[in-house]
Amino acid sequence: MNLPFTEPFKIKMVENIYRSTKEQRQNWLRDASYNLFNLRSEQVFIDLLTDSGTGAMSDKQWSAMMLGDESYAGASSYYKLKEAIRDITGFDFFLPTHQGRAAENVLFSVLVKEGDLVPGNSHFDTTKGHIEFRKAKAVDCTIDEASNTTVWHPFKGNVDLVKLEDVLINNPAEKISCIIITITNNSAGGQPVSMSNLRETGKLARKYGVKFIIDSARFAENAYFIKMREKGYADKDIRDIAREMFSYADGMTMSSKKDAIVNMGGFIGFRDEELFRQASTYNIIYEGFITYGGMSGRDMNALAQGLYEGTEFSFLESRINQVAYLGSKMKESGVPILEPTGGHAIFIDAKKFLPEIPKEEFPAQTLANEIYIEGGIRGVEIGALMADRDPVTRENRFPDLEMVRLAIPRRVYTNNHMDYVAAAVNNVFERRSNINRGVRIVWEAPIMRHFTIILEVAK
Ligand code: F0G
């Protein structure tokens, strides 16, 4: 018998979590204005809101923290991180930032100006937020297959090279801030981007004289999928694959809270010293001096270590298989999920799950709330609320995909937890015909509204 894979770690420290009753959860949800971001963490039993900053650090990361150098300038922790980044990504220049969106803020302060276009594959919400805040436009050129939740494609996160070239042909290079490819493609379901797609994007960027930036939050998971699915990569090491992915780009933004398994942190990687210098000024204004940029020395040490742990094949194998395990359990009960399952989360197709709830009553938010009431499980809406209003017409945007994301923190939950989640979602699925009222908006912020929105049950 072949021995199955297992987690390549054992658990040294535990944190208790608390079950509650349905009635308690109904009250808490009402008090939270039907917005799961407003819940207190103790009101949640299994927290799948995000895989960002919620991972469990290793003993090696915790011990590296004790050796943090908190010098304002030139800390050894900075140089240690610089070495790790150069080794894993190949970028010679880097700026630390306090998290991924801060990296976007600093880099876009140099690259993005009013009226610009930023083509890419389903920009993440903070990325789009930073672009639109600067009165520029994010142009989504993701392949069409990405909006079909059941069609199988090995690299459903890919950018459509024809759509991308169309934007590049029809606009002068100085109007294009940069091309941004997000790996894995979070908004389209944690779906990977192939190496050939990255290579071709790099070629187009050079042909049209525009910069190519990789939003790299889940780059290691992307490298894992390339190894497993793309011809010619089966025998390559994850880190070699990662270096090749980055070799096609001019720079990267990183939310280290994902694949580098730290609770806080980010950075920008640059190939070009001049761009690094320009961005340094903004880093100093917004984040901190260029050798700490919003991070403490101890955090930079933990990040340097986490970059290596997050790119270990055995870790990635157990992680991505845990996601697939939850997906297969849900499929067994007929729950409509996005397939193939991606790297960090299960995405439930809310339009198919709750076909009676009109889009104006936000089916994915309605479903996320029901899953919370059922089992104390917190997911997140990835749909019309997150898509915000069109900045010009102020009409609601209704994206093709209206989903609930259940994101799995790294090294935190066991497959027993996954069984519990699958059972709770199954219970909601069985009573879905009784769910006939969605939610309506009482108050919303002008941008990135889903974080703070106030909702009520639709009349
Ligand atoms: N890019 C991607 C692809 C992301 O998924 C995120 C964050 C960011 C950038 C911003 O990074 O949070 O460190 O500022 N995603 C989290 C999520 C919040 O839940 O998917 P950050």
Side-chain angles (χ1 to χ4, degrees):
M1 186 193 272
N2 284 339
L3 295 179
F5 72 87
T6 71
E7 286 73 17
F9 53 82
K10 55 184 179 174
I11 298 166
K12 192 178 319 219
M13 187 187 276
V14 296
E15 178 182 349
N16 283 332
I17 51 178
Y18 300 99
R19 287 176 96 144
S20 47
T21 64
K22 254 190 197 178
E23 197 190 350
Q24 282 176 313
R25 293 194 288 271
Q26 274 158 343
N27 292 334
W28 290 332
L29 186 61
R30 193 196 50 235
D31 294 346
S33 307
Y34 300 92
N35 174 353
L36 297 167
F37 284 99
N38 285 337
L39 291 172
R40 287 169 176 248
S41 64
E42 312 89 272
Q43 297 168 338
V44 176
F45 182 49
I46 297 184
D47 205 347
L48 307 184
L49 180 69
T50 179
D51 63 323
S52 180
T54 52
M57 290 213 299
S58 68
D59 51 355
K60 289 207 172 66
Q61 286 178 291
W62 281 108
S63 60
M65 289 189 81
M66 296 306 291
L67 301 175
D69 174 355
E70 305 302 344
S71 306
Y72 190 97
S76 64
S77 301
Y78 164 80
Y79 287 104
K80 194 171 176 163
L81 179 55
K82 185 175 169 65
E83 247 340 285
I85 290 174
R86 180 185 284 141
D87 187 24
I88 298 226
T89 70
F91 289 117
D92 282 334
F93 302 96
F94 100 101
L95 287 170
T97 63
H98 77 274
Q99 61 183 90
R101 66 200 70 183
E104 292 162 1
N105 186 34
V106 169
L107 184 64
F108 294 175
S109 295
V110 181
L111 294 180
V112 182
K113 13 178 239 312
E114 186 171 341
D116 278 4
L117 299 177
V118 187
N121 60 339
S122 335
H123 312 65
F124 182 64
D125 62 346
T126 59
T127 319
K128 187 151 59 76
H130 275 297
I131 293 167
E132 292 180 351
F133 187 73
R134 290 174 169 80
K135 300 195 163 46
K137 192 163 179 254
V139 187
D140 185 359
C141 304
T142 311
I143 56 170
D144 291 339
E145 287 88 336
S147 51
N148 180 332
T149 54
T150 51
V151 68
W152 203 92
H153 187 296
F155 293 102
K156 232 173 172 175
N158 277 358
V159 68
D160 182 326
L161 296 162
V162 175
K163 288 186 202 167
L164 177 62
E165 188 159 16
D166 232 40
V167 177
L168 300 174
I169 290 176
N170 291 315
N171 296 281
E174 54 291 357
K175 276 264 164 215
I176 313 278
S177 317
C178 58
I179 300 167
I180 295 185
I181 302 295
T182 304
I183 60 173
T184 56
N185 186 333
N186 182 7
S187 314
Q191 299 293 321
V193 175
S194 72
M195 190 70 90
S196 76
N197 200 248
L198 292 170
R199 192 180 302 123
E200 294 306 314
T201 302
K203 279 189 199 156
L204 284 178
R206 280 189 296 282
K207 178 170 167 193
Y208 291 94
V210 301
K211 290 214 161 10
F212 171 22
I213 305 294
I214 298 185
D215 176 349
S216 322
R218 300 178 183 84
F219 76 95
E221 292 171 5
N222 201 84
Y224 173 87
F225 282 114
I226 288 176
K227 183 177 169 74
M228 303 312 282
R229 294 184 185 167
E230 194 160 349
K231 202 161 160 267
Y233 289 92
D235 297 328
K236 294 226 159 102
D237 185 75
I238 294 288
R239 291 185 198 127
D240 290 334
I241 296 174
R243 269 187 297 268
E244 183 181 340
M245 295 183 322
F246 290 121
S247 73
Y248 302 119
D250 299 294
M252 66 183 286
T253 53
M254 177 71 185
S255 167
S256 310
K257 302 165 74 173
K258 283 83 168 175
D259 276 3
I261 329 179
V262 289
N263 303 119
M264 192 50 75
F267 62 87
I268 316 169
F270 308 85
R271 198 168 306 292
D272 171 25
E273 188 168 2
E274 179 50 30
L275 185 59
F276 159 76
R277 283 195 196 290
Q278 288 171 12
S280 295
T281 305
Y282 292 100
N283 217 65
I284 294 168
I285 295 173
Y286 292 129
E287 293 295 299
F289 182 61
I290 58 173
T291 65
Y292 74 88
M295 293 184 73
S296 11
R298 55 181 174 272
D299 286 341
M300 288 193 280
N301 270 12
L303 170 52
Q305 172 66 23
L307 281 168
Y308 286 100
E309 293 180 14
T311 47
E312 280 292 338
F313 177 78
S314 56
F315 158 70
L316 287 164
E317 180 185 45
S318 75
R319 157 142 186 86
I320 288 171
N321 275 301
Q322 184 175 50
V323 175
Y325 175 77
L326 177 59
S328 67
K329 285 264 157 194
M330 290 203 187
K331 266 192 76 180
E332 276 169 26
S333 353
V335 173
I337 60 167
L338 190 155
E339 290 181 83
T341 51
H344 67 295
I346 294 300
F347 290 70
I348 305 173
D349 186 334
K351 281 192 212 165
K352 288 196 184 139
F353 198 115
L354 295 176
E356 303 303 321
I357 305 286
K359 65 181 193 303
E360 294 76 13
E361 291 184 12
F362 307 106
Q365 184 65 31
T366 306
L367 178 57
N369 289 346
E370 289 294 338
I371 293 171
Y372 171 68
I373 289 170
E374 183 65 36
I377 299 152
R378 173 158 68 171
V380 72
E381 187 251 22
I382 307 268
L385 288 183
M386 190 190 207
D388 271 331
R389 289 175 190 274
D390 183 286
V392 180
T393 66
R394 300 307 298 159
E395 291 296 321
N396 276 316
R397 289 191 279 212
F398 293 105
D400 292 335
L401 297 177
E402 171 76 13
M403 299 182 291
V404 174
R405 185 187 75 174
L406 302 176
I408 305 184
R410 293 165 186 77
R411 308 192 289 208
V412 171
Y413 293 114
T414 67
N415 281 4
N416 281 338
H417 292 113
M418 298 302 114
D419 288 342
Y420 174 95
V421 172
V425 174
N426 182 41
N427 286 352
V428 180
F429 193 57
E430 284 183 349
R431 64 174 172 80
R432 67 191 182 282
S433 57
N434 298 328
I435 303 170
N436 37 40
R437 285 198 300 172
V439 289
R440 63 173 286 277
I441 299 172
V442 177
W443 178 87
E444 64 185 280
I447 196 165
M448 309 232 304
R449 62 182 178 180
H450 70 296
F451 290 111
T452 52
I453 202 155
I454 296 180
L455 299 166
E456 65 182 13
V457 175
K459 302 284 176 328

